[in-house]
């Protein structure tokens, strides 16, 4: 398995990133469209490659995650969502995602020496093999911040266990919106 930042790759990675993203976050984005191929097309443009890292088996994306300084590593273009999902669904997806996924800050102060881990996902056929642990360990070695923070849904028990294994501990809980399928968003920190 190879670990690298996606802007260092010599082949187009966007389609694979989008597929792993859709598989990993399907429960939260399926409201816009149940068709995973259309969702993959809709999200292909969003990734700012200099912030995303992947675990590769050959040229196949096995896992992905991003690391920034508290800002979103994605950029949304409305026309791409409309093109993939149609006028109504595309606009709804764009405006809802812009409000919830492209946040500019965490619900607490963050120092410039703190990195934020975002959009951690593993392709289905590579799950339960320790790739999330290995990829996040690689990211933290490559980005020497004093501390790292992340957000995870309380219902994502596997992710919470992974982050605890990496040394993250809960620092804050925020009530999730009703009908989101989530009770709380848990904020975790690793020093």
């Amino acid at each position: 398995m190879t670990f690298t930042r996606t802007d260092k790759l010599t082949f187009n990675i966007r389609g694979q990133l989008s597929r792993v993203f859709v598989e990993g976050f399907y429960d939260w984005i399926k409201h816009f469209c149940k068709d995973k191929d259309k969702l993959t097309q809709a999200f292909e443009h969003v990734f700012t490659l200099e912030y995303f890292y992947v675990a590769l088996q050959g040229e196949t994306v096995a896992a992905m995650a991003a690391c920034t300084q508290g800002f979103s590593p994605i950029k949304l273009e409305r026309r791409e969502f409309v093109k993939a999902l149609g006028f109504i669904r595309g606009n709804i997806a764009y405006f809802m995602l812009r409000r919830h996924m492209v946040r500019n800050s965490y619900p607490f102060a963050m120092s410039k020496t703190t990195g934020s881990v975002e959009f951690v996902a593993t392709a289905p056929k590579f799950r339960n093999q320790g790739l999330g642990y290995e990829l996040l360990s690689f990211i933290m070695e490559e980005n020497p911040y004093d501390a790292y923070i992340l957000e995870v849904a309380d219902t994502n028990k596997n992710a919470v266990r992974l982050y605890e294994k990496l040394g993250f501990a809960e620092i804050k809980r925020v009530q999730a919106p009703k009908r989101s399928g989530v009770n709380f968003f848990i904020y975790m920190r690793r020093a």
Side-chain angles (χ1 to χ4, degrees), residues 170-184:
E170 182 176 335
I171 57 170
K172 185 176 182 89
R173 280 182 182 236
V174 174
Q175 185 78 41
K178 292 184 189 227
R179 295 185 294 220
S180 66
V182 174
N183 304 309
F184 296 95

Side-chain angles (χ1 to χ4, degrees), residues 39-169:
L39 286 169
T40 298
Q41 181 185 355
F43 282 94
E44 194 168 322
H45 74 282
V46 306
F47 308 101
T48 305
L49 298 180
E50 68 190 270
Y51 302 115
F52 278 88
Y53 295 80
V54 289
L56 293 171
Q57 183 172 21
E59 289 189 358
T60 301
V61 174
M64 65 180 277
C67 185
T68 71
Q69 285 183 301
F71 55 85
S72 180
I74 63 171
K75 304 262 191 270
L76 305 178
E77 292 184 27
R78 187 168 75 172
R79 73 176 182 271
E80 295 296 328
F81 284 98
V82 169
K83 186 166 91 175
L85 305 176
F87 183 78
I88 294 172
R89 286 183 184 198
N91 276 300
I92 290 169
Y94 170 77
F95 287 109
M96 288 185 75
L97 292 168
R98 188 176 72 171
R99 184 172 35 166
H100 295 289
M101 291 177 77
V102 186
R103 67 173 183 278
N104 292 321
S105 64
Y106 281 83
F108 47 81
M110 215 174 106
S111 78
K112 292 186 187 286
T113 60
T114 300
S116 59
V117 175
E118 312 277 346
F119 302 110
V120 179
T122 302
K125 76 178 194 175
F126 293 102
R127 290 181 184 158
N128 301 312
Q129 298 177 26
L131 287 180
Y133 184 92
E134 290 182 49
L135 179 59
L136 292 179
S137 295
F138 174 80
I139 289 171
M140 290 185 284
E141 287 173 19
E142 291 290 305
N143 296 278
Y145 292 111
D146 292 340
Y148 295 87
I149 55 110
L150 56 80
E151 174 192 88
V152 62
D154 68 327
T155 54
N156 193 345
K157 305 290 186 198
N158 289 337
V160 171
R161 281 192 296 276
L162 166 65
Y163 303 142
E164 288 173 343
K165 188 176 175 183
L166 283 160
F168 284 85

